[in-house]
Amino acid sequence: MAIFKQKLVWIGMILLLAVLTVFGAAMMGSVVGIKPKDVPVALVILDQPASMPGGGTLAVGELMRQKLTTNDGMPIKWTLVGSEEEARAGLQDRRYYGALIVPADLSAGVASLAGPQPKPATVQIIGNDGLNTQASTVVKQGLGQALRMVSAELSKSMLEQIGKRMPQIPTGTVQALLAPIQVHEETVNAAGANNASGNAPGLLTQIMWMGSLVTAMILFLAGSSAIRAGARRWPVIAMQPVVGIIFTGVASGFLVWMAGSWYGMELAHTADTALFLWLAGIMFYMLQSTLLNWIGMPAMAILVLLMFFSMPLLNMAPEFLSETSQTLIYSWTPLRFAAVGMREVMYFGGMGSASSSTVIVAAIGAGFLLLLLASGFKRVKRSREKMESATAGAIATE
């Protein structure tokens, strides 16, 4: 068992546990045990109280407002808005993952079920799938369950009231009162076909990050070889952004074409998707090239860890993440800004809907471009200092 006497074996065990800890935190720490909370939803209460056929007043809208807004078990943060148009504008502006619309005639419709001329009593649930499909599904399921509970409670109360004044309740009335509130679901900003259940923006962002990383690595190695062969450092580094922009442009176009042609991904704004993906690829490339030119090959460890820590978060709503994940990773990772912009472009109307994300991505890319160019000056300065020192030493020896 001489192998166990070797220090390298125990160092390897420590290294193995360290790798599992780091990558476990990256791949599982952000997503295992997630629990949504304070998911923003718009609530529109237009309902007007109505008179019951046998006397009394029915205010279903107010009952629903109280039941929903005081239910601490729902992971929803309600925002009361004054009209359906305002709620839909908030959905389009990406402020809400869903909306509940209670129409003005809801109470009248429910009250009519006890009379000779019943009218449908319908509420509307709107899910904003484009903002985040997972969060939109949680909203629709949660609201549907809550409305069924309200409907059941209302059904029991009305049957008791009608039973007191009618010894025999008609079968049709009973059937109508068993489900006094009907629910109509609507989806806005829906993802197209073969969009990975609405996760295509994050998926394209991840692939573009890896493509940009390959580009940055190739150009860094090529530049290093050229410099060792005698080329001047500044022109070599200055050409890296130019070539990188061309490469990422080709990559973004090919990636969008591949997604649509090979895998049938439906894209409502193909040109805008490719354009923003190109912008995101440029930002990724500038960041990656900057680290490689300033730090060298050790920068690859940073870039790989950044990718693994960021990837699980790209397709998740911030309200699903822990405060630690939001603060330490989601709030600043460049992949997040690209993924959010991709979602806006793909599901909310093209580049015009992603103006804020476009500015952020462009600003990050421009900042790292300046740092990349600055790395050329710094390295030239160090080389000159070494040359001057060697020259001074040779003169002193003589």
Side-chain angles (χ1 to χ4, degrees), residues 354-375:
S355 56
S356 297
S357 296
T358 300
V359 171
I360 293 173
V361 170
I364 295 174
F368 279 103
L369 170 60
L370 295 177
L371 291 174
L372 172 58
L373 296 176
S375 68

Side-chain angles (χ1 to χ4, degrees), residues 288-305:
Q288 295 157 352
S289 292
T290 297
L291 292 181
L292 286 169
N293 279 280
W294 278 93
I295 302 175
M297 292 304 295
M300 286 298 296
I302 299 174
L303 295 172
V304 170
L305 286 176

Side-chain angles (χ1 to χ4, degrees), residues 69-93:
T69 57
T70 58
N71 187 349
D72 296 331
M74 298 183 68
I76 289 178
K77 180 181 179 181
W78 294 102
T79 299
L80 291 170
V81 298
S83 66
E84 180 177 346
E85 291 74 17
E86 184 180 350
R88 289 184 179 275
L91 294 171
Q92 193 63 31
D93 291 339

Side-chain angles (χ1 to χ4, degrees), residues 24-347:
M27 303 304 294
M28 295 188 296
S30 301
V31 297
V32 173
I34 61 173
K35 185 177 181 181
K37 63 177 182 178
D38 294 335
V39 179
V41 176
L43 178 60
V44 182
I45 303 292
L46 304 175
D47 182 54
Q48 300 296 321
S51 298
M52 294 286 290
T57 301
L58 185 64
V60 181
E62 179 60 23
L63 173 65
M64 292 177 63
R65 187 191 66 80
Q66 293 179 0
K67 293 289 184 182
L68 294 174
T69 57
T70 58
N71 187 349
D72 296 331
M74 298 183 68
I76 289 178
K77 180 181 179 181
W78 294 102
T79 299
L80 291 170
V81 298
S83 66
E84 180 177 346
E85 291 74 17
E86 184 180 350
R88 289 184 179 275
L91 294 171
Q92 193 63 31
D93 291 339
R94 300 171 290 285
R95 296 199 303 268
Y96 311 122
Y97 291 100
L100 175 62
I101 312 296
V102 179
D105 59 351
L106 180 65
S107 291
V110 174
S112 71
L113 299 179
Q117 296 180 338
K119 297 185 300 183
T122 305
V123 298
Q124 189 171 17
I125 295 176
I126 306 176
N128 194 1
D129 280 15
L131 186 55
N132 187 275
T133 304
Q134 183 182 18
S136 175
T137 301
V138 168
V139 168
K140 288 186 284 189
Q141 292 178 347
L143 292 183
Q145 182 178 1
L147 290 176
R148 285 192 293 271
M149 294 174 61
V150 172
S151 182
E153 182 177 335
L154 190 61
S155 173
K156 179 181 178 181
S157 175
M158 292 191 66
L159 283 172
E160 289 177 352
Q161 293 180 26
I162 296 174
K164 292 178 181 180
R165 58 185 179 83
M166 295 178 62
Q168 293 183 344
I169 305 176
T171 303
T173 301
V174 173
Q175 292 177 344
L177 288 175
L178 288 177
I181 300 177
Q182 302 296 316
V183 177
H184 173 70
E185 285 193 5
E186 178 186 350
T187 297
V188 297
N189 303 312
N194 299 323
N195 267 240
S197 300
N199 294 326
L203 184 63
L204 293 175
T205 299
Q206 295 170 26
I207 298 173
M208 196 65 196
W209 169 271
M210 291 184 282
S212 300
L213 183 58
V214 171
T215 301
M217 173 60 70
I218 291 173
L219 295 182
F220 170 71
L221 293 176
S224 299
S225 298
I227 292 172
R228 286 195 300 270
R232 294 180 58 192
R233 182 175 297 273
W234 163 247
V236 170
I237 292 180
M239 281 302 297
Q240 287 186 17
V242 177
V243 180
I245 290 173
I246 296 173
F247 274 37
T248 52
V250 173
S252 65
F254 177 79
L255 182 55
V256 170
W257 173 80
M258 179 177 67
S261 300
W262 293 9
Y263 305 108
M265 182 180 293
E266 183 181 354
L267 298 171
H269 309 279
T270 304
D272 285 358
T273 300
L275 181 59
F276 189 87
L277 193 60
W278 185 11
L279 181 63
I282 292 172
M283 175 188 70
F284 294 157
Y285 170 79
M286 297 303 173
L287 183 157
Q288 295 157 352
S289 292
T290 297
L291 292 181
L292 286 169
N293 279 280
W294 278 93
I295 302 175
M297 292 304 295
M300 286 298 296
I302 299 174
L303 295 172
V304 170
L305 286 176
L306 176 60
M307 178 182 68
F308 275 103
F309 272 96
S310 301
M311 284 172 59
L313 310 181
L314 299 184
N315 292 318
M316 297 182 64
E319 291 79 9
F320 284 56
L321 302 174
S322 66
E323 292 185 7
T324 301
S325 296
Q326 287 193 47
T327 303
L328 298 183
I329 306 174
Y330 187 82
S331 62
W332 61 268
T333 174
L335 282 84
R336 165 253 178 141
F337 297 113
V340 169
M342 284 294 299
R343 185 172 296 277
E344 293 169 340
V345 169
M346 294 176 67
Y347 302 145

